[in-house]
């Protein structure tokens, strides 16, 4: 593969005279910021690994690479920088150059995710890891809207999303209380 690997391929955007031909398939995983945050917290961060999987799957399809999206999601602490950098460096003629700091965001996500290993209530700080993905998803949503206007922004909560939210609304407070209450 030659050229800029972060540039959108002709299947997504092609200049035809003065008009651009846009694809209906967004280049990155489409999800609203609210849905990303709520599902990440309610699933104790598991949704973030799904987020990585979906983005790697789209990157693989677009670039035609031989990567394994599932393995890159499972080992997201090793591959998150590459994913965040691809989103931040994605060339989009309709948008200004990104100022997404992929390095600090990746380090922040990794360190915050690893906080779940801390004893007691300190491990709950890992729920804040999603904060480092919010600017990345915001940029991905801008790219998706510029290149695939009218795509499904994935902002509505499905039945299964609501099941996760209800379970999370029960389990997250129990986890918080359980870490600070000692048995008699």
């Amino acid at each position: 593969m030659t050229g800029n690997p972060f540039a959108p391929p002709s299947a997504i955007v092609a200049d035809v005279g003065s008009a651009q031909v846009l694809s209906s398939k967004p280049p990155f995983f489409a999800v609203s910021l609210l849905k990303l945050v709520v599902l990440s917290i309610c699933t104790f961060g598991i949704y973030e690994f799904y987020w990585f999987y979906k983005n790697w799957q789209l990157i693989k399809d677009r670039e035609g690479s031989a990567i394994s999206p599932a393995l890159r999601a499972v080992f997201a602490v090793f591959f998150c920088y590459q994913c965040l950098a691809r989103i931040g460096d994605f060339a989009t003629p309709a948008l200004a150059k990104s100022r997404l700091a992929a390095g600090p965001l990746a380090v922040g996500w990794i360190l915050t995710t690893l906080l779940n290993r801390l004893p007691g209530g300190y491990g709950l700080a890992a729920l804040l890891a999603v904060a480092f993905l919010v600017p990345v998803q915001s940029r991905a949503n801008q790219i998706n809207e510029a290149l695939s206007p009218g795509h499904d922004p994935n902002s509505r909560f499905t039945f299964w999303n609501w099941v996760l939210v209800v379970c999370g609304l029960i389990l997250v407070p129990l986890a918080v209380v359980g870490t600070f209450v000692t048995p008699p």
Side-chain angles (χ1 to χ4, degrees):
M1 180 176 211
T2 60
N4 181 357
F6 303 120
S10 59
I12 293 176
V13 132
D15 286 324
V16 181
S18 62
Q20 286 186 339
V21 178
L22 303 175
S23 170
S24 62
K25 184 177 181 182
F28 296 106
F29 180 55
V31 64
S32 71
L33 299 180
L34 175 66
K35 188 173 180 179
L36 173 65
V37 171
V38 168
L39 289 177
S40 291
I41 291 172
C42 289
T43 62
F44 293 92
I46 294 172
Y47 188 78
E48 295 164 28
F49 293 94
Y50 175 74
W51 181 88
F52 278 109
Y53 169 74
K54 294 299 283 184
N55 275 304
W56 279 119
Q57 189 176 47
L58 289 167
I59 291 168
K60 176 184 178 173
D61 292 346
R62 186 177 59 253
E63 294 178 2
S65 60
I67 63 173
S68 171
L71 287 176
R72 289 199 177 213
V74 168
F75 297 106
V77 294
F78 299 113
F79 294 105
C80 73
Y81 171 76
Q82 291 88 343
C83 184
L84 303 187
R86 278 183 166 89
I87 295 170
D89 294 339
F90 194 82
T92 309
L95 298 174
K97 177 77 174 135
S98 173
R99 295 189 183 174
L100 188 68
L105 290 171
V107 169
W109 183 82
I110 292 167
L111 292 177
T112 310
T113 299
L114 294 178
L115 291 177
N116 70 356
R117 306 310 246 163
L118 293 176
Y122 299 111
L124 292 174
L127 294 176
L128 303 175
V130 69
F132 294 98
L133 297 182
V134 168
V136 180
Q137 186 59 45
S138 178
R139 179 66 181 176
N141 288 345
Q142 292 171 351
I143 293 168
N144 289 346
E145 187 56 38
L147 298 181
S148 302
H151 74 282
D152 177 13
N154 192 13
S155 59
R156 297 186 68 195
F157 286 79
T158 66
F159 171 77
W160 292 111
N161 294 154
W162 281 112
V163 169
L164 292 173
V165 169
V166 169
C167 290
L169 288 174
I170 295 168
L171 294 176
V172 170
L174 286 176
V176 171
V177 170
T179 58
F180 296 110
V181 174
T182 57

